[in-house]
Amino acid sequence: MAERFEIVEKALLKLLEDKKYATLRDILVTMNPMDVAGLFDGLDEKQIPLMFRLLPKEQAAETFVEMEPDAKEILIRGFSDNELKEVLDELYVDDAADIVEEMPANVVQRILKHADPEMRSSINQILRYPEDSAGSMMTTEYVSLRPHMTVEEAILRIRRQGVDKETIYTCYVMEKDRTLIGLVTVKDLLLAEDDNTKIEDIMETNVISVTTQTDQEEVAAMLSKYNFIALPVVDGENRMVGIVTFDDAMDVMQDAATEDMEIMAAMTPSEKTYLKSTPFDLFKHRIPWLMLLMVSATFTGMIITSFEDALSLLPVLTAFIPMLMDTGGNCGSQSSVTVIRALSLDELHFSDLLRVMWKEVRTAVLCGAALACVCFLKILLVDRLLMGNDSISLLVNGVVCLTLCVTVIMAKFVGCSLPMLAKRLGFDPAVMASPFITTIVDALSLLVYFLFAKTLLGV
C-alpha cells in the first residue's frame, strides 16, 4: 500500500512540475484528504499554495486540517483575507482551536480576526482549558434535543442543524439550562414506533460523561473502553459544554504511545516528526538522558573497582560480568514494559502492587532456575570441556549460576515495582523503563556476584 501511494505521489508531483493543473485537479478531487495532505510534505514553499488552490473548497478545508503545522503556516501567510475566511468557515471548532495552538502569535491574530464571532468565541473558550484536558480537545458542535420533543421534531432538527455538526449519530438531551439528562441515537429515532413518541420516553438516561478537567488520555481510554463515537463533556454542574469524538481520541492515544516509547528509550519527547527534526533537535532530546545514565553507571564502575583484588586473584570471573549484566537488564525490561503497558491501559493500580510483586517473583524463580541450569551446562560443556578453560571450576560455575538466579529475581522485582511506585508519586511510569532499570540492575547484579565470589571462593 505504501509503495503504491509513493508511485502515485511521484506521478502527481510530476504533473505539478509540468503545469498540467487540470489533470492534477481531476485526480486530487478523487483522493482522500488525508492522502492529499501527505503530498504537501514533498513540496517547496512556492508549490504548496499552488496545489492547495486546485482543491475544491470543502476538500481544501479537510486537507488543511491534516497538514503539518509548517505547511499550514505557509498557507495562512499566503492566503488573501477572503481565502482565509473561506477555509475557516469550513473548519470544525476543535480543528480551528488546534491550528491556533500550533501557530505563532502573529498568525493567530490573523486567524481570529477573520473567524466569525461565534467561532472566535468557541475557540477562546476551548483555549482557556488546560492543555491536556478534555476541554482543550472537545468541540462545541453537536446536536442537542429537548426531552419534550417528539421523534418527528427531533429528526427535523437534525436535518436543519446536522450539516455543521461534527457528528449527528448521537444526540444529547438537555434541559433549558443545558443540564445533560440523556442521549438518543439516530437509530433510536428511526426505529421509534410512532413519530409522536416523546424523546424522554426513548432516551438513555444513564449517560457516561467526562468533565472539562478530565485528562485527555483518560478520555481516550473511556472512548476505547465503551466503543463510543463521541463522549459528552460537562462542567462541574453537569451542564453540557461539548463532545470529544473518537478521531480526536485516536490522535491522543497515538501521541501518548509515541511519548511513552520515547521516554522508555531514554529520550525527551519531541513534537516534531523524525524527518522534520534537525540533528540538533535530536541531540537536545537525547543528550540529557544519556548524561544521566552515564553518570549513574559510575556506580557500576565503583563496584568493580572495589573488588579489583578478587578479580586479580581469579581473572576468569571477569568473563561472566557482561552475561550477568545483560541478562539482568533484559529481565528487568520485560517486567517493566509489561507493568507500564498494564498501567497505561488502566489494568493495574497501586493497590495491586503486592499481587504484582508476588506474581513476578514466582515468575522470576522459574526463569532464574531455567537460565541457571542452561548456564551451568553451557559453562561445563562449552567453556570448560570444549574450549579447555581449566580455571573454571565447578565452584566458580556454581557462583555464576547462583548469581544469575538471584539477579533474575532482583531484576523482575525492581522492574515491576519501580513503575508502580512512579505512578503512585505522580510521575510517568515510562520514566522507569529499560535504561533506568538496567542501570540499577547492573549495579545490584555486580554487587551480588562479587559478594558470592568473596564468600564462596574466598577471593
Side-chain angles (χ1 to χ4, degrees), residues 142-189:
Y142 57 89
V143 177
S144 62
L145 303 176
R146 294 284 184 262
H148 62 271
M149 282 183 172
T150 64
V151 168
E152 184 178 7
E153 291 172 337
I155 292 176
L156 182 60
R157 184 184 182 95
I158 294 172
R159 286 174 178 165
R160 290 174 176 173
Q161 296 186 352
V163 176
D164 299 324
K165 304 305 179 184
E166 183 101 3
T167 178
I168 62 171
Y169 181 75
T170 304
C171 306
Y172 300 92
V173 186
M174 297 177 288
E175 300 286 5
K176 289 184 178 180
D177 62 354
R178 306 192 67 78
T179 300
L180 179 63
I181 60 174
L183 62 82
V184 64
T185 66
V186 172
K187 180 180 178 180
D188 297 329
L189 298 175

